[in-house]
Amino acid sequence: MKTPAEVREIEFDSVPLDSRCNESFALYYAQTLPPTELQPFLTSLTVPLPMCLRIQQSVPRLLREEIELEFLSLGVSPFPFLFPFTSTPSPISAYTCSHEHYKSRAVREYCQKLKSSHQIYFQEAVSFLPPMAAAPLPNHLILDMCAAPGSKTTLLLELMGCGSGMVIANELDGKRAKQILALALRAVRSPGAVVTIGPGQTFPDLQLPGGGFDRILCDVPCSGDGTLRKNPRIWNGWSPKSALELHSVQLKILKRALKLVRPGGEVIYSTCSFNPIENEAVVGAAIVGLMVENENENEQYSSFEIVPGPGEGEWNASEGLTSWRVPKLTTREKNNPEWAWENEEQEPSAVPRKRRSLFPNAGRFESVNGMLRNCRRFYPHKFAGGGGFFVARIRRKANGSGNGSGNGNGNGNGNGNGREEEKNTRPVVVDKHSAKLFELDRLEMATITNFYGIEKSDCELLVGEGKRVVLVTEGVKQTLMGRPNGLRLHCGGLRVFEKFAEGAMKISGECRYRICQESAEWVARMMGGGKRLVKLNREEMILLLGKRNVGLEELDLTGLSPGGVVLTVKEAEWILVAAVASSTELHCYANESAVQPILEYLVKEIKM
């Protein structure tokens, strides 16, 4: 079965060059570009998008170095100017090559092998921009409102590093959240990762300290015409109708985000569309809409500013638009190749209320248009390494002076003290389908810590989730214990221990919890040199990973008591594999995709 990426590659090559055009598209976007740029812009969209990927930060250092060397030998180069707009050194390793070069058998097969073992993540270059613009700190509380498939969320988690923070990855589609998003986040192995299910425009107020989230990403559903370099079939059916239809939900999502961000915090709004109806119109209307809603009550939602977005250096970004034309709902007029435009001379009051948000702001709100210049547009004729993209950084001004943190602990980079927590007057709504984080029974926790030789003080952030024990951050524990009002939680934290199903295997040991592979490193570190850390030689580890079940006598481990263990290799102690010992055998429970890179490395080492 072909992957979506492979299907897109086949589709791109199957679309003739002379079909990669659309007269209506050209006429529509002539309004947004200088005349001298229109033809280079259209031509750039007929050139296939370069392949771009990043190496997962969870990949061990030695394996990462091997991947990097192999990329260089295959002609896959480091991305040359990934993050020129941040003063913080980036931990991200990104690589790229042309579409034609990626089609070569050696490159494609190697990349697909790495993808299947979750060592790399294919991600278009411009989609790195929203997480980088957010500049997350380790203590930040962050919400990604429309997170699937997870490329931006996983990058956020890697940029945050280790700390007390949290990233909630929210997704409307439950199937995508469970099968795609949750799997992507597991590969990052972060205790601060959380997956929730629900519409972004009604995401509940979690009553966070400091008045809201430090950062919110709104990478909203859009018409996607910025992806023409990888989805050329969009050419045939393109029309501005989809942008007009999506504008309303995009606006609702952004307005909700602006209400949930703390004073001093930022909302990063982005689309992969060129259309101002989905971009500047949404940003301007959201800010003005909150000003109007609250001008007769208080000013807590009216103080927003659009700060300059990313795009310096070779990204070569363009400023946001301050004026644009609005197409009529009736599409094109008969016998006229141009789109029918709304009357630009009419008074704002003459525009139907439901359509006013489509237009540039006028009258007393005209000053908002000036701020739109700080939005950033990315065009493929200006940055050959990417597709079309739009990013806006919207900061909620702090209510007062001072240097308060976004989450109330004084360590953030915000510039305000945050508003006082508002009283939640809404009725409690509990989603019966929601997962639940709960405090572990003391006796059960003592059984786990005693068996694995872990200090109780190291387990303060271990909580229960169904039949699992997960490691969470302070931010997750303080925010999501129990079932928060109106929130549908799918999963949260880093899976550490999992309870055996009754009768799953013959174990009569003291502890019925096995170690999960993604947390083998954490457990090994907490155990120190404990009795449940078992050292094998390279040949024995190869045997176990290949067969999955090996007798204890064959490994000279007859004295090993039943229960979970972490296996390591005497000659390479960075290798850590979760396994379970029964009375007669050692079982490797880790997914094949997780251990295959280790197996290949060990086989290669023996042959050298």
Side-chain angles (χ1 to χ4, degrees):
M1 183 177 177
K2 293 182 174 63
T3 65
E6 290 173 320
V7 171
R8 283 197 298 270
E9 288 152 16
I10 293 170
E11 286 185 349
F12 190 94
D13 294 328
S14 67
V15 177
L17 186 62
D18 58 3
S19 298
R20 299 172 193 170
C21 60
N22 184 304
E23 182 187 15
S24 298
F25 178 92
L27 291 167
Y28 184 82
Y29 283 116
Q31 68 156 325
T32 66
L33 288 164
T36 55
E37 292 189 26
L38 182 60
Q39 192 53 52
F41 165 66
L42 296 172
T43 302
S44 69
L45 293 173
T46 66
V47 180
L49 189 73
M51 184 278 293
C52 188
L53 57 82
R54 56 184 171 86
I55 304 174
Q56 299 270 28
Q57 294 298 299
S58 57
V59 176
R61 180 180 59 82
L62 287 178
L63 292 183
R64 174 189 297 274
E65 290 174 355
E66 284 206 343
I67 292 171
E68 292 171 343
L69 288 173
E70 186 65 20
F71 276 157
L72 293 177
S73 71
L74 291 171
V76 180
S77 306
F79 200 88
F81 45 90
L82 195 52
F83 309 120
F85 51 85
T86 176
S87 58
T88 305
S90 170
I92 306 304
S93 298
Y95 284 78
T96 186
C97 69
S98 69
H99 173 75
E100 290 299 322
H101 188 63
Y102 176 68
K103 285 168 59 179
S104 65
R105 182 175 179 178
V107 175
R108 181 197 292 268
E109 288 185 353
Y110 184 64
C111 289
Q112 289 299 328
K113 184 182 76 170
L114 294 177
K115 181 178 182 293
S116 66
S117 57
H118 306 291
Q119 295 182 86
I120 64 168
Y121 201 114
F122 286 105
Q123 185 173 0
E124 186 179 345
V126 288
S127 75
F128 290 125
L129 292 164
M132 292 304 302
L137 296 179
N139 68 329
H140 273 173
L141 304 180
I142 300 177
L143 169 63
D144 188 347
M145 298 188 87
C146 312
S151 59
K152 298 175 184 66
T153 318
T154 54
L155 183 53
L156 270 174
L157 287 163
E158 291 185 348
L159 292 171
M160 282 181 69
C162 300
S164 60
M166 167 183 71
V167 175
I168 295 179
N170 183 68
E171 171 57 34
L172 171 63
D173 188 320
K175 187 175 181 180
R176 279 165 60 85
K178 296 174 183 178
Q179 297 182 4
I180 301 175
L181 183 59
L183 186 62
L185 265 60
R186 276 178 59 186
V188 183
R189 302 180 183 179
S190 171
V194 176
V195 176
T196 62
I197 301 172
Q201 57 267 41
T202 58
F203 193 89
D205 185 351
L206 300 181
Q207 300 294 298
L208 298 175
F213 288 96
D214 297 281
R215 299 288 186 269
I216 300 179
L217 257 64
C218 292
D219 188 54
V220 296
C222 68
S223 62
D225 58 15
T227 67
L228 279 164
R229 294 183 70 183
K230 64 179 180 181
N231 295 318
R233 295 195 182 277
I234 293 175
W235 283 115
N236 291 333
W238 184 91
S239 90
K241 183 180 179 181
S242 57
L244 293 167
E245 292 173 342
L246 287 165
H247 172 87
S248 175
V249 69
Q250 292 165 342
L251 180 56
K252 289 176 182 177
I253 291 172
L254 180 54
K255 286 179 70 174
R256 185 59 183 161
L258 294 176
K259 291 181 179 181
L260 293 175
V261 71
R262 67 163 175 87
E266 292 184 8
V267 173
I268 313 298
Y269 177 85
S270 62
T271 75
C272 52
S273 169
F274 299 114
N275 204 320
I277 299 300
E278 302 178 83
N279 297 331
E280 290 89 351
V282 172
V283 173
I287 294 174
V288 168
L290 290 181
M291 292 169 69
V292 171
E293 286 178 17
N294 293 278
E295 63 183 353
N296 296 324
E297 300 173 18
N298 55 61
E299 295 297 319
Q300 65 177 355
Y301 293 138
S302 66
S303 297
F304 292 97
E305 60 180 341
I306 304 172
V307 296
E312 291 84 350
E314 295 182 66
W315 289 99
N316 203 13
S318 299
E319 289 185 344
L321 303 176
T322 59
S323 63
W324 56 88
R325 302 174 76 187
V326 179
K328 287 184 178 179
L329 289 172
T330 53
T331 65
R332 289 188 295 177
E333 296 175 343
K334 291 181 180 180
N335 304 318
N336 186 347
E338 295 193 26
W339 290 98
W341 302 101
E342 292 282 8
N343 179 9
E344 297 170 353
E345 304 299 326
Q346 60 188 334
E347 292 293 324
S349 58
V351 179
R353 187 172 181 180
K354 289 185 177 180
R355 290 179 55 77
R356 288 179 194 172
S357 62
L358 300 171
F359 292 81
N361 294 300
R364 62 194 178 112
F365 299 119
E366 195 167 357
S367 61
V368 174
N369 290 346
M371 289 196 296
L372 293 175
R373 291 191 182 91
N374 288 334
C375 300
R376 291 294 179 261
R377 293 178 148 265
F378 297 85
Y379 292 104
H381 68 290
K382 288 190 166 187
F383 169 52
F389 213 73
F390 174 87
V391 179
R393 288 177 59 200
I394 309 169
R395 179 178 297 154
R396 181 174 172 186
K397 296 179 184 178
N399 289 346
S401 61
N403 298 307
S405 164
N407 49 24
N409 60 14
N411 297 320
N413 67 345
N415 58 357
N417 292 320
R419 61 184 168 89
E420 295 181 6
E421 290 189 28
E422 298 172 357
K423 205 167 185 179
N424 188 358
T425 58
R426 295 181 303 161
V428 174
V429 179
V430 176
D431 191 323
K432 64 180 181 180
H433 300 292
S434 177
K436 180 181 178 182
L437 300 180
F438 55 88
E439 293 286 356
L440 289 164
D441 177 81
R442 289 186 180 182
L443 182 60
E444 195 164 27
M445 190 73 251
T447 301
I448 295 172
T449 55
N450 291 338
F451 182 76
Y452 287 106
I454 301 174
E455 294 293 330
K456 291 183 180 179
S457 58
D458 294 323
C459 299
E460 294 177 357
L461 294 176
L462 290 180
V463 300
E465 183 205 84
K467 294 182 178 181
R468 301 188 185 100
V469 176
V470 298
L471 176 68
V472 298
T473 62
E474 286 284 357
V476 173
K477 189 171 184 179
Q478 292 175 8
T479 306
L480 299 179
M481 292 298 286
R483 286 193 174 99
N485 187 16
L487 190 70
R488 183 177 176 185
L489 175 70
H490 171 61
C491 61
L494 174 67
R495 301 192 312 175
V496 180
F497 301 107
E498 191 165 47
K499 187 178 288 187
F500 293 113
E502 292 294 332
M505 59 180 296
K506 296 178 181 179
I507 287 186
S508 58
E510 308 167 31
C511 179
R512 295 195 58 82
Y513 281 89
R514 69 176 178 90
I515 302 165
C516 299
Q517 175 60 30
E518 52 260 49
S519 61
E521 181 181 353
W522 183 87
V523 175
R525 188 169 64 249
M526 295 302 104
M527 290 193 303
K531 58 184 179 179
R532 306 310 296 180
L533 182 65
V534 177
K535 292 185 179 182
L536 305 178
N537 60 41
R538 285 183 294 195
E539 290 78 6
E540 291 171 335
M541 183 66 86
I542 290 172
L543 178 66
L544 177 65
L545 297 184
K547 294 179 66 176
R548 312 291 284 181
N549 300 314
V550 178
L552 294 179
E553 287 188 8
E554 194 171 353
L555 298 173
D556 195 22
L557 293 174
T558 52
L560 184 63
S561 61
V565 294
V566 174
L567 306 175
T568 187
V569 177
K570 297 172 185 176
E571 300 89 345
E573 294 191 359
W574 60 269
I575 293 176
L576 298 165
V577 177
V580 174
S582 68
S583 57
T584 59
E585 290 184 317
L586 193 61
H587 306 258
C588 177
Y589 269 80
N591 291 332
E592 184 177 349
S593 62
V595 299
Q596 188 63 29
I598 296 173
L599 179 58
E600 291 176 0
Y601 174 86
L602 290 172
V603 170
K604 183 178 177 181
E605 285 291 300
I606 285 181
K607 289 180 178 179
M608 290 178 65

